[in-house]
Amino acid sequence: SATRESLSEKLDSVFQGRKQIDAELLDELEEALIAADIGVPTTLEILDRVRRGIARQQINDLAALKEAIKRELLEILRAAERNGVASETSVPDDIRPYVMMIVGVNGVGKTTTIGKLAHRIKAEGNDVLICAADTFRAAATDQLAIWAERTGVPLIQQRQGTDPAAVLFDALKAAKARGTDVLIVDTAGRLHTKSNLMAELEKMRRVAGREVEGAPHETLLVIDAVTGQNGLEQARQFLKTAGVTGIVLTKLDGTAKGGIAVAIAKELKLPIRYAGIGEKIDDLVVFDPEQYVNDLFE
Amino acid sequence: MFESLSDKLKRTLKNLRGEGVLRPEHVDAALREIRLALLEADVNYKVAKDFIARVREKALGQEVWQELKPAEQVVKIVYDELVELLGGTSSRLVFTRQAPNVVMVVGLQGSGKTTSTGKIALWLAKNEERKPLLVSTDVYRPAAREQLKVIAKATGQAIFDLPESNDPVLLAREAVRHARDYGYDTLLIDTAGRLHIDDQLMEELVQIKTETRPVEILFVADAMTGQDAVRSAEEFHRRVGITGVILTKMDGDARGGAALSIKQVTGQPVKFVGVGEKYDALEPFYPDRIAQRILGMGDVLSLIEEV
Ligand SMILES: Nc1nc2c(ncn2[C@@H]2O[C@H](COP(=O)(O)OP(=O)(O)OP(=O)(O)O)[C@@H](O)[C@H]2O)c(=O)[nH]1
Ligand SMILES: Nc1nc2c(ncn2[C@@H]2O[C@H](COP(=O)(O)OP(=O)(O)OP(=O)(O)O)[C@@H](O)[C@H]2O)c(=O)[nH]1
Ligand SMILES: [Mg+2]
Ligand SMILES: [Mg+2]
């Protein structure tokens, strides 16, 4: 059935056997973009521009149409990227510890991403410390402890139920005492609609900023590639209360295309920093807009 | 920020007053808005398309009712059809008299399986006087078995484990034996999260199923899931034959259109919704409530209900 096709298959079948650009083709393109979770407003905007290009005879054949859509998507992702903040790969020496907070709704892959990130940043020659500030979910700390052990990175933890800001405070102190380069903070999953839990993140930010100037230097919002239109509201709220600086798009090894991240990049100018492509320690790659857009089509 | 669907429809249909029947141009204008609302709610685009076609058929030529404004009439037709598609009434878990009854909990990574497994056990113990036993067959995710243990303890439920085994099928089989030997009438099997395209892990589910012959196989789906919900649900259903759905994280503001998509492609009803991280945050599924939510229009509906 049509629902089993990927965007690329879908686009290919849209283009196949066609000689010219007609209204039906554009309708099918609209469906293909919506099927990737790019969302109605962004999709309509892209198609609007494309239609104008067709009217002005700048887009005359299918190949040009394909290129035009790619270009539109890429421009959205690049514009957000230009807006991006410093990356931990080029941390100025005078920032120590460089504090990264990882936030997001429940179950998107925060803890796993931290395991992978710690591995990556350590391999780049940094001293890394992890802070287990999810003191709420059952066995959250045990899970993170296993990742810390896998990566050979120390972990600061406390009993379940401890105030997360208190664990963070400990971790900041420890990071300063040890001369840690990068401190990565795990947080409990929380829905962006829960004001008390969002306020808890604000408090953690304040604690971080008080202990280390400019901290958190980077706050990554984790978005699961299967997420639909709710992802945009997640990003809006986390940006507002947690000062998100970038996105990690996880579970891209499935069949979902993660198009909501494009909508987020467009609407909020948040760059996609990393992509999660599996459950293993190496399954995190620096997000490459060009490759992402090409993958949508190839 | 967004104009509500009901406002849009009122605007679209405001010229309809005084007409005798609903005409294509009116209905189509309304249905365009409804299609966008469904897409915004994450109903799969193809499911939305079929749905709109069906509603169009029903609406065309209907007499304009005296009691309702035309906009509300179209909404009522849409709403009724949506409730119908979602399964009409709420469905329960179905048990047989042969103990232990096995309930398998399956789904994608992070959807809420382990938490839901604990919630269902607590629900069954509290509301249906059953005596559940829990077992985790997630030998992959770090601390997954520990997580279920913590949940069992917090909810006062019994749990079975063989710490030295890393074989999901063996764990499930031994748990069935343990349930039988110790008089537990229900065995809840938590499984590892997996992608529907992971052939090997999907085969593992088939093996656990063959070994334990569950009465229920519940597919746990995150209410925030987008267009891809149809693919994962369809594939889980094709491989293992699910008997119901649990829609989690409905305590947020996601519209939950995935529920419609999943029902549509699998034919299996949503049986529970998860509404929080606490272990009693589980509710039976009411199709009318989610239909309202998908349409994002409690306001118009309260009007309609009076008719
Ligand atoms: N296939 C796949 N699975 C992933 C990926 N990232 C994380 N996961 C899985 O998703 C599930 C949830 O991951 P966690 O890291 O526990 O998610 P979390 O956001 O920390 O969850 P909470 O702390 O409960 O909110 C686990 O089963 C992970 O193995 C990915 O990139 N691909
Ligand atoms: N807000 C909310 N959170 C939920 C709900 N159900 C589960 N969660 C949270 O979602 C996250 C993932 O839940 P788990 O039960 O670990 O999910 P899982 O499917 O077992 O994950 P894997 O085993 O890694 O595939 C946790 O943070 C849970 O607390 C719900 O109904 N509402
Ligand atoms: Mg976590
Ligand atoms: Mg689990």
Side-chain angles (χ1 to χ4, degrees), chain B residues 261-305:
Chain B
S261 308
I262 295 171
K263 174 75 205 296
Q264 191 65 5
V265 296
T266 66
Q268 301 307 306
V270 181
K271 297 200 169 177
F272 286 107
V273 292
V275 290
E277 293 191 72
K278 302 226 174 77
Y279 305 124
D280 58 359
L282 186 74
E283 293 175 357
F285 174 74
Y286 297 106
D288 49 342
R289 284 189 205 165
I290 190 155
Q292 293 179 24
R293 184 159 166 163
I294 289 175
L295 291 173
M297 47 192 328
D299 48 341
V300 171
L301 284 163
S302 51
L303 256 170
I304 290 172
E305 267 152 20

Side-chain angles (χ1 to χ4, degrees), chain A residues 105-108 110 134 136-138 143 188-191 194 279, chain B residues 107-117 119 138 141 144 147 151 190-194 220 247-252 273-279 281:
Chain A
V105 299
N106 308 81
V108 286
K110 293 175 292 300
D134 178 358
F136 178 77
R137 210 209 60 210
Q143 182 189 2
R190 71 200 71 216
L191 296 179
K194 313 239 156 137
E279 300 183 76
Chain B
L108 297 175
Q109 288 94 342
S111 55
K113 295 173 295 300
T114 305
T115 309
S116 298
T117 305
K119 286 178 177 179
D138 185 353
R141 168 173 166 171
Q147 183 186 358
I151 294 174
D190 183 22
T191 64
R194 67 202 71 214
V220 178
L247 194 64
T248 59
K249 309 178 199 174
M250 279 290 277
D251 44 324
V273 292
V275 290
E277 293 191 72
K278 302 226 174 77
Y279 305 124

Side-chain angles (χ1 to χ4, degrees), chain A residues 153-279:
Chain A
V153 161
L155 175 77
I156 301 295
Q157 62 178 90
Q158 283 192 35
R159 274 196 341 273
Q160 201 181 359
T162 311
D163 178 0
V167 189
L168 175 59
F169 181 80
D170 273 7
L172 291 159
K173 283 255 186 273
K176 284 196 285 189
R178 296 174 194 205
T180 299
D181 297 312
V182 181
L183 171 68
I184 313 178
V185 185
D186 192 14
T187 61
R190 71 200 71 216
L191 296 179
H192 53 287
T193 49
K194 313 239 156 137
S195 51
N196 57 331
L197 296 180
M198 295 304 278
E200 185 184 275
L201 283 182
E202 279 181 318
K203 180 175 171 192
M204 290 173 74
R205 284 177 64 78
R206 277 199 305 276
V207 168
R210 211 183 297 140
E211 289 308 303
V212 175
E213 201 195 314
H217 305 91
E218 190 162 356
T219 301
L220 295 176
L221 173 67
V222 180
I223 297 274
D224 184 328
V226 305
T227 311
Q229 299 313 298
N230 190 249
L232 195 50
E233 195 54 28
Q234 291 170 29
R236 266 191 213 113
Q237 295 307 324
F238 276 100
L239 176 62
K240 202 164 96 192
T241 47
V244 170
T245 57
I247 304 288
V248 180
L249 188 56
T250 56
K251 310 187 195 176
L252 268 177
D253 46 324
T255 53
K257 295 296 173 190
I260 191 61
V262 175
I264 293 171
K266 176 166 179 303
E267 182 93 10
L268 302 169
K269 297 284 178 292
L270 284 173
I272 309 172
R273 294 287 318 280
Y274 295 100
I277 51 167
E279 300 183 76

